[in-house]
mmCIF file of all heavy atoms in Angstrom:
data_model
loop_
_atom_site.group_PDB
_atom_site.id
_atom_site.type_symbol
_atom_site.label_atom_id
_atom_site.label_comp_id
_atom_site.label_asym_id
_atom_site.label_seq_id
_atom_site.Cartn_x
_atom_site.Cartn_y
_atom_site.Cartn_z
ATOM 1 N N TRP X 149 -12.198 -13.049 -3.718
ATOM 2 C CA TRP X 149 -11.825 -14.086 -4.667
ATOM 3 C C TRP X 149 -10.797 -15.020 -4.018
ATOM 4 O O TRP X 149 -10.929 -16.249 -4.115
ATOM 5 C CB TRP X 149 -11.234 -13.454 -5.944
ATOM 6 C CG TRP X 149 -10.525 -14.421 -6.816
ATOM 7 C CD1 TRP X 149 -11.077 -15.273 -7.742
ATOM 8 C CD2 TRP X 149 -9.103 -14.669 -6.855
ATOM 9 N NE1 TRP X 149 -10.111 -16.017 -8.343
ATOM 10 C CE2 TRP X 149 -8.872 -15.674 -7.833
ATOM 11 C CE3 TRP X 149 -8.023 -14.128 -6.186
ATOM 12 C CZ2 TRP X 149 -7.605 -16.142 -8.143
ATOM 13 C CZ3 TRP X 149 -6.769 -14.605 -6.498
ATOM 14 C CH2 TRP X 149 -6.562 -15.582 -7.443
ATOM 15 N N ALA X 150 -9.807 -14.431 -3.370
ATOM 16 C CA ALA X 150 -8.789 -15.255 -2.714
ATOM 17 C C ALA X 150 -9.408 -16.074 -1.595
ATOM 18 O O ALA X 150 -9.061 -17.257 -1.406
ATOM 19 C CB ALA X 150 -7.671 -14.378 -2.159
ATOM 20 N N ARG X 151 -10.315 -15.499 -0.831
ATOM 21 C CA ARG X 151 -10.990 -16.239 0.231
ATOM 22 C C ARG X 151 -11.756 -17.436 -0.348
ATOM 23 O O ARG X 151 -11.731 -18.538 0.175
ATOM 24 C CB ARG X 151 -11.978 -15.317 0.936
ATOM 25 C CG ARG X 151 -12.836 -15.990 2.020
ATOM 26 C CD ARG X 151 -14.105 -15.237 2.252
ATOM 27 N NE ARG X 151 -14.942 -15.197 1.065
ATOM 28 C CZ ARG X 151 -15.960 -14.341 0.885
ATOM 29 N NH1 ARG X 151 -16.227 -13.428 1.799
ATOM 30 N NH2 ARG X 151 -16.662 -14.372 -0.249
ATOM 31 N N ASP X 152 -12.428 -17.212 -1.492
ATOM 32 C CA ASP X 152 -13.187 -18.300 -2.136
ATOM 33 C C ASP X 152 -12.234 -19.384 -2.641
ATOM 34 O O ASP X 152 -12.602 -20.578 -2.630
ATOM 35 C CB ASP X 152 -14.030 -17.757 -3.267
ATOM 36 C CG ASP X 152 -15.178 -16.858 -2.778
ATOM 37 O OD1 ASP X 152 -15.472 -16.890 -1.545
ATOM 38 O OD2 ASP X 152 -15.760 -16.130 -3.594
ATOM 39 N N GLN X 153 -11.067 -18.975 -3.100
ATOM 40 C CA GLN X 153 -10.061 -19.951 -3.521
ATOM 41 C C GLN X 153 -9.650 -20.824 -2.329
ATOM 42 O O GLN X 153 -9.513 -22.059 -2.436
ATOM 43 C CB GLN X 153 -8.859 -19.250 -4.114
ATOM 44 C CG GLN X 153 -9.085 -18.593 -5.445
ATOM 45 C CD GLN X 153 -9.205 -19.568 -6.588
ATOM 46 O OE1 GLN X 153 -8.323 -20.419 -6.790
ATOM 47 N NE2 GLN X 153 -10.281 -19.505 -7.317
ATOM 48 N N ALA X 154 -9.451 -20.182 -1.191
ATOM 49 C CA ALA X 154 -9.062 -20.944 0.010
ATOM 50 C C ALA X 154 -10.165 -21.903 0.425
ATOM 51 O O ALA X 154 -9.884 -23.038 0.827
ATOM 52 C CB ALA X 154 -8.761 -19.961 1.134
ATOM 53 N N ALA X 155 -11.417 -21.444 0.341
ATOM 54 C CA ALA X 155 -12.518 -22.284 0.774
ATOM 55 C C ALA X 155 -12.783 -23.442 -0.191
ATOM 56 O O ALA X 155 -13.290 -24.491 0.227
ATOM 57 C CB ALA X 155 -13.788 -21.418 0.904
ATOM 58 N N ALA X 156 -12.409 -23.260 -1.467
ATOM 59 C CA ALA X 156 -12.699 -24.282 -2.465
ATOM 60 C C ALA X 156 -11.876 -25.535 -2.257
ATOM 61 O O ALA X 156 -12.277 -26.635 -2.661
ATOM 62 C CB ALA X 156 -12.463 -23.712 -3.859
ATOM 63 N N GLY X 157 -10.703 -25.414 -1.674
ATOM 64 C CA GLY X 157 -9.806 -26.554 -1.539
ATOM 65 C C GLY X 157 -8.981 -26.759 -2.775
ATOM 66 O O GLY X 157 -9.297 -26.244 -3.862
ATOM 67 N N ALA X 158 -7.916 -27.512 -2.641
ATOM 68 C CA ALA X 158 -6.944 -27.664 -3.718
ATOM 69 C C ALA X 158 -7.550 -28.223 -4.985
ATOM 70 O O ALA X 158 -7.184 -27.856 -6.086
ATOM 71 C CB ALA X 158 -5.785 -28.542 -3.253
ATOM 72 N N ALA X 159 -8.512 -29.141 -4.858
ATOM 73 C CA ALA X 159 -9.109 -29.788 -6.025
ATOM 74 C C ALA X 159 -9.933 -28.849 -6.856
ATOM 75 O O ALA X 159 -10.020 -28.976 -8.086
ATOM 76 C CB ALA X 159 -9.913 -31.006 -5.611
ATOM 77 N N ALA X 160 -10.592 -27.848 -6.217
ATOM 78 C CA ALA X 160 -11.518 -26.988 -6.901
ATOM 79 C C ALA X 160 -10.960 -25.596 -7.221
ATOM 80 O O ALA X 160 -11.484 -24.875 -8.046
ATOM 81 C CB ALA X 160 -12.798 -26.816 -6.102
ATOM 82 N N ALA X 161 -9.891 -25.234 -6.558
ATOM 83 C CA ALA X 161 -9.283 -23.901 -6.757
ATOM 84 C C ALA X 161 -8.550 -23.836 -8.083
ATOM 85 O O ALA X 161 -8.320 -24.869 -8.754
ATOM 86 C CB ALA X 161 -8.312 -23.577 -5.624
ATOM 87 N N ASP X 162 -8.199 -22.619 -8.495
ATOM 88 C CA ASP X 162 -7.309 -22.460 -9.631
ATOM 89 C C ASP X 162 -6.079 -23.349 -9.411
ATOM 90 O O ASP X 162 -5.571 -23.432 -8.266
ATOM 91 C CB ASP X 162 -6.879 -21.008 -9.758
ATOM 92 C CG ASP X 162 -5.798 -20.807 -10.800
ATOM 93 O OD1 ASP X 162 -6.113 -20.645 -11.962
ATOM 94 O OD2 ASP X 162 -4.615 -20.857 -10.397
ATOM 95 N N PRO X 163 -5.594 -24.059 -10.440
ATOM 96 C CA PRO X 163 -4.477 -24.995 -10.238
ATOM 97 C C PRO X 163 -3.238 -24.374 -9.568
ATOM 98 O O PRO X 163 -2.637 -25.032 -8.705
ATOM 99 C CB PRO X 163 -4.163 -25.492 -11.649
ATOM 100 C CG PRO X 163 -5.473 -25.370 -12.372
ATOM 101 C CD PRO X 163 -6.128 -24.138 -11.815
ATOM 102 N N TRP X 164 -2.873 -23.176 -9.953
ATOM 103 C CA TRP X 164 -1.687 -22.548 -9.340
ATOM 104 C C TRP X 164 -1.962 -22.246 -7.874
ATOM 105 O O TRP X 164 -1.095 -22.454 -7.009
ATOM 106 C CB TRP X 164 -1.299 -21.247 -10.057
ATOM 107 C CG TRP X 164 -0.774 -21.470 -11.427
ATOM 108 C CD1 TRP X 164 -0.644 -22.631 -12.118
ATOM 109 C CD2 TRP X 164 -0.272 -20.430 -12.310
ATOM 110 N NE1 TRP X 164 -0.109 -22.388 -13.365
ATOM 111 C CE2 TRP X 164 0.131 -21.059 -13.523
ATOM 112 C CE3 TRP X 164 -0.155 -19.039 -12.205
ATOM 113 C CZ2 TRP X 164 0.644 -20.350 -14.573
ATOM 114 C CZ3 TRP X 164 0.374 -18.328 -13.267
ATOM 115 C CH2 TRP X 164 0.770 -18.968 -14.450
ATOM 116 N N MET X 165 -3.151 -21.764 -7.597
ATOM 117 C CA MET X 165 -3.500 -21.443 -6.209
ATOM 118 C C MET X 165 -3.579 -22.705 -5.357
ATOM 119 O O MET X 165 -3.054 -22.768 -4.250
ATOM 120 C CB MET X 165 -4.819 -20.672 -6.155
ATOM 121 C CG MET X 165 -4.787 -19.317 -6.849
ATOM 122 S SD MET X 165 -3.907 -18.054 -5.901
ATOM 123 C CE MET X 165 -5.214 -17.589 -4.758
ATOM 124 N N GLY X 166 -4.232 -23.710 -5.893
ATOM 125 C CA GLY X 166 -4.388 -24.962 -5.152
ATOM 126 C C GLY X 166 -3.041 -25.642 -4.865
ATOM 127 O O GLY X 166 -2.858 -26.238 -3.809
ATOM 128 N N GLU X 167 -2.126 -25.529 -5.832
ATOM 129 C CA GLU X 167 -0.824 -26.190 -5.660
ATOM 130 C C GLU X 167 0.104 -25.426 -4.734
ATOM 131 O O GLU X 167 0.796 -26.053 -3.908
ATOM 132 C CB GLU X 167 -0.157 -26.324 -7.030
ATOM 133 C CG GLU X 167 1.262 -26.895 -6.982
ATOM 134 C CD GLU X 167 2.022 -26.725 -8.279
ATOM 135 O OE1 GLU X 167 1.444 -26.243 -9.294
ATOM 136 O OE2 GLU X 167 3.212 -27.075 -8.312
ATOM 137 N N LEU X 168 0.088 -24.089 -4.815
ATOM 138 C CA LEU X 168 1.161 -23.304 -4.222
ATOM 139 C C LEU X 168 0.766 -22.382 -3.091
ATOM 140 O O LEU X 168 1.606 -22.010 -2.271
ATOM 141 C CB LEU X 168 1.861 -22.472 -5.284
ATOM 142 C CG LEU X 168 2.610 -23.242 -6.401
ATOM 143 C CD1 LEU X 168 3.076 -22.299 -7.486
ATOM 144 C CD2 LEU X 168 3.748 -24.018 -5.810
ATOM 145 N N ALA X 169 -0.495 -21.943 -3.025
ATOM 146 C CA ALA X 169 -0.858 -20.877 -2.081
ATOM 147 C C ALA X 169 -0.962 -21.361 -0.643
ATOM 148 O O ALA X 169 -1.601 -22.359 -0.347
ATOM 149 C CB ALA X 169 -2.154 -20.235 -2.519
ATOM 150 N N ASP X 170 -0.300 -20.640 0.237
ATOM 151 C CA ASP X 170 -0.437 -20.824 1.671
ATOM 152 C C ASP X 170 -1.435 -19.765 2.144
ATOM 153 O O ASP X 170 -1.094 -18.586 2.311
ATOM 154 C CB ASP X 170 0.884 -20.671 2.395
ATOM 155 C CG ASP X 170 0.775 -20.855 3.889
ATOM 156 O OD1 ASP X 170 -0.339 -20.960 4.397
ATOM 157 O OD2 ASP X 170 1.827 -20.888 4.556
#
Side-chain angles (χ1 to χ4, degrees):
W149 167 82
R151 177 205 62 196
D152 292 346
Q153 290 286 306
D162 171 87
W164 291 3
M165 296 285 280
E167 175 193 356
L168 295 173
D170 180 352

